[in-house]
Amino acid sequence: MAIPLTKIIFPYNIHMQKTFPLKYHVPTPITGGQIPFLRLARREDRRQKCREVIALSQKDYCTVAELDIKEGKDNNEEITIPKEPERKLADIWHDIHGVDDWDGMLDPLDPLLRSELIRYGEMVQACHDAFDFEPFSKYCGSCKYAPSEFFECLGMAQHGYQVNSYIHATYNINLPNIFQRSLRPDAWSHTANWIGYIAVSNDEMSAHLGRRDITIAWRGTKTKLAWIADFMYFLRPVTLKKIPCPDPRVKVESGFLNLYTNKSQSSQICKRSAREHVLEEVRRLVSQYQNENLSITITGHSLGSALAILSAYDIAETGVDVMDDGQAVPICVFSFAGPRVGNTWFKERFAQLGVKVLRVVNIHDKIPEAPGLFLNEHIPPMLRKLGEASLWFYSHVGAELTLDHKSSPFLKETNDLACYHNLEAHLHLLDGYQGKGQRFVLTSGRDIALVNKQADFLKDHLLVPPNWQQHENKGLVRNNEGRWVQRERLNLGDCP
């Protein structure tokens, strides 16, 4: 008489699970507070997984640390999370600002430094979110919001800053990967683009920070990486653009320098260059707040990172950061996914001026490797002298915080290089990075759905649609006559 196969297999499975519990682990049911990472085989289990994920969409995702606690309790292990001593940002802001080049703060990553990096990164992301990319819009290439309501319209009023002025730039050649042009003949401008803003912390935020903070945020490119090809030219001395450098060997990439210094008398918006506007505004604000503790923080992503480094150098070299008592306001740059900007002498002069730079990069991103793919600070010393004599030798400045998107369990495998360069992905990685070789642990509760705001980078089982951020009706509103028209905005020529 044949014995049913199930009567042989089931007892054997039970025996193996009891004898080798680690090898033949029985998965525990997935609860609403856990993130489902298990690969389920049976159809009913898959349906249950979908139900759990949908339930998670109505709750906050737990961190990996919470998963550790749950796993530890299941395994009867004692889990303790060390309590960090309470510190106030106002007491250590000089360290956060890089007074000691972030010595001992990057590995492991200091929690306060992490929160500040994310906060300044969000101020750069605001430039992406507020920029009008729609070519059929009359205001394509401008900011969608007035300076007085900038942070409120973006849901960032809690950041505690007030925008003082907008920065616009112009260029004398066509740069379709960077400059957005309106297709309409009545466009606000055919030569200018909004490229950043200058903001100052309010009284409440200044008390929290321990100083009055002047922040300059530079907009980068949205997703296209082809823009870097427009900035692979030779190095040019900064003195050619009237930057008063005592060393004629100090050179920067010519495209960055032109974008920073170009102006157009035929444009109402760009009669002054971005450089002239920034220097005048910083000089005015330093004079206004010189009786307070003061800092200048410049931040940018991608192309904006290059402009942040160049403008920080210019402010220090020109001396507009010096107060009436002769003291210089500390200048710090938080750079995200930025390229190289200048040569070795630019790096040395940068350090002499005391400007601090912390560059946050994804190790798989290709933009920080350019320009200077072959002639850079990593070549052997024997060849460096030869390389430095050329017009193509570039060197990074400041300290580097290297992240790896493959360490995040939330991000999927993809060949899309734009995902590696995405700013929201960098902020997500900052939220989970603990140090080299450490497990990825989300710490701030920052919504991981933000990663897919302008990308397709999250794993599919998280059920976050890719590129979910959309401009409502592409800027059209219904007027009193029932017709869809574009809402009129502030006269951009009146922006400070």
Side-chain angles (χ1 to χ4, degrees):
M1 179 178 178
I3 300 175
L5 187 61
T6 55
K7 290 187 177 181
I8 298 176
I9 294 177
F10 287 171
Y12 175 77
N13 287 345
I14 293 173
H15 167 71
M16 295 300 290
Q17 289 166 359
K18 290 182 178 180
T19 307
F20 305 101
L22 296 179
K23 185 175 181 180
Y24 298 92
H25 176 62
V26 181
T28 57
I30 298 173
T31 64
Q34 291 178 308
I35 298 177
F37 290 114
L38 300 176
R39 181 168 299 186
L40 306 176
R42 299 176 58 188
R43 181 176 301 175
E44 283 301 318
D45 288 339
R46 286 183 179 143
R47 291 176 179 172
Q48 177 64 20
K49 176 184 176 182
C50 291
R51 288 194 290 268
E52 296 293 344
V53 173
I54 292 172
L56 278 173
S57 66
Q58 301 173 354
K59 300 180 180 181
D60 293 329
Y61 287 95
C62 62
T63 64
V64 177
E66 290 170 334
L67 289 177
D68 284 340
I69 294 174
K70 291 182 176 67
E71 292 173 0
K73 288 182 178 179
D74 292 340
N75 296 329
N76 295 322
E77 297 176 1
E78 183 178 356
I79 301 294
T80 59
I81 299 179
K83 292 184 178 180
E84 298 177 354
E86 292 187 4
R87 298 175 301 162
K88 292 184 178 180
L89 181 59
D91 296 332
I92 64 166
W93 75 265
H94 287 284
D95 297 324
I96 301 296
H97 224 239
V99 65
D100 293 323
D101 297 311
W102 299 279
D103 183 35
M105 302 185 74
L106 302 181
D107 188 18
L109 183 58
D110 183 89
L112 284 179
L113 176 59
R114 180 207 321 279
S115 64
E116 285 297 277
L117 285 172
I118 293 176
R119 185 174 66 83
Y120 283 110
E122 289 174 342
M123 295 182 76
V124 180
Q125 181 63 43
C127 293
H128 293 280
D129 296 342
F131 188 72
D132 192 340
F133 289 93
E134 178 53 54
F136 292 98
S137 168
K138 175 182 177 180
Y139 303 100
C140 178
S142 71
C143 180
K144 293 185 284 191
Y145 312 113
S148 59
E149 59 185 18
F150 180 80
F151 288 115
E152 287 76 12
C153 289
L154 292 168
M156 298 174 60
Q158 76 282 0
H159 272 60
Y161 282 74
Q162 179 62 47
V163 174
N164 280 54
S165 64
Y166 283 163
I167 308 170
H168 295 88
T170 186
Y171 211 81
N172 54 12
I173 62 174
N174 186 32
L175 297 174
N177 295 313
I178 300 171
F179 271 58
Q180 304 297 317
R181 309 292 190 193
S182 173
L183 299 176
R184 296 178 49 156
D186 60 343
W188 72 284
S189 176
H190 290 287
T191 59
N193 262 206
W194 177 67
I195 203 165
Y197 64 87
I198 302 174
V200 179
S201 58
N202 59 28
D203 292 344
E204 182 179 357
M205 188 63 178
S206 297
H208 171 69
L209 296 175
R211 84 278 187 189
R212 184 78 63 176
D213 186 42
I214 301 171
T215 294
I216 305 173
W218 292 92
R219 178 182 65 84
T221 50
K222 186 176 181 181
T223 55
K224 293 181 180 179
L225 301 187
W227 69 266
I228 192 63
D230 296 322
F231 293 91
M232 296 288 284
Y233 301 125
F234 54 85
L235 293 155
R236 295 182 65 188
V238 296
T239 52
L240 292 180
K241 293 294 184 176
K242 300 182 180 180
I243 297 178
C245 178
D247 189 348
R249 298 174 299 174
V250 173
K251 299 176 183 179
V252 298
E253 200 279 330
S254 59
F256 298 147
L257 188 60
N258 287 336
L259 183 60
Y260 179 60
T261 59
N262 276 6
K263 57 184 176 181
S264 174
Q265 294 302 320
S266 62
S267 171
Q268 182 183 5
I269 306 297
C270 291
K271 291 186 182 296
R272 293 184 302 172
S273 66
R275 174 182 185 249
E276 291 171 340
H277 179 84
V278 168
L279 293 182
E280 290 176 14
E281 188 66 10
V282 169
R283 182 184 290 109
R284 183 185 69 83
L285 292 172
V286 168
S287 176
Q288 179 179 346
Y289 296 109
Q290 63 179 317
N291 294 325
E292 304 180 28
N293 287 332
L294 194 59
S295 68
I296 299 173
T297 309
I298 310 177
T299 185
H301 168 247
S302 192
L303 171 62
S305 169
L307 295 174
I309 290 174
L310 184 55
S311 60
Y313 161 75
D314 190 21
I315 290 170
E317 190 73 270
T318 309
V320 297
D321 61 324
V322 179
M323 297 179 286
D324 292 344
D325 60 3
Q327 292 187 353
V329 177
I331 304 173
C332 172
V333 177
F334 291 129
S335 157
F336 298 89
R340 296 183 179 92
V341 177
N343 61 6
T344 302
W345 288 282
F346 175 75
K347 175 182 179 179
E348 293 177 356
R349 182 60 181 164
F350 208 91
Q352 291 172 6
L353 293 170
V355 181
K356 304 299 181 178
V357 180
L358 178 57
R359 296 179 295 103
V360 180
V361 301
N362 177 3
I363 194 172
H364 303 284
D365 185 13
K366 299 303 179 183
I367 295 299
E369 298 179 8
L373 291 172
F374 304 106
L375 294 177
N376 55 58
E377 68 276 10
H378 298 304
I379 65 173
M382 295 179 61
L383 301 176
R384 187 167 300 175
K385 290 295 182 181
L386 181 62
E388 290 174 349
S390 73
L391 296 176
W392 306 93
F393 185 90
Y394 288 85
S395 181
H396 270 306
V397 298
E400 181 176 280
L401 175 58
T402 305
L403 307 174
D404 184 353
H405 72 259
K406 294 185 178 181
S407 66
S408 170
F410 301 93
L411 304 182
K412 64 184 179 182
E413 292 290 335
T414 178
N415 293 323
D416 187 354
L417 299 181
C419 288
Y420 307 167
H421 189 62
N422 181 270
L423 177 56
E424 285 287 3
H426 279 70
L427 301 184
H428 166 71
L429 295 176
L430 276 172
D431 192 16
Y433 177 77
Q434 306 301 316
K436 293 180 180 178
Q438 300 297 315
R439 190 174 183 184
F440 189 92
V441 180
L442 296 178
T443 57
S444 70
R446 197 170 189 274
D447 193 350
I448 63 170
L450 293 170
V451 174
N452 268 13
K453 181 192 292 185
Q454 298 165 349
D456 182 9
F457 208 5
L458 289 174
K459 290 182 176 179
D460 293 340
H461 73 258
L462 296 174
L463 300 183
V464 179
N467 300 292
W468 54 260
Q469 186 185 53
Q470 303 291 328
H471 190 193
E472 185 177 4
N473 299 324
K474 294 197 172 182
L476 296 182
V477 295
R478 179 171 275 176
N479 64 12
N480 295 333
E481 299 176 356
R483 295 183 178 275
W484 289 93
V485 298
Q486 192 165 56
R487 176 183 288 143
E488 293 294 326
R489 296 185 195 161
L490 172 73
N491 182 3
L492 297 171
D494 296 336
C495 288

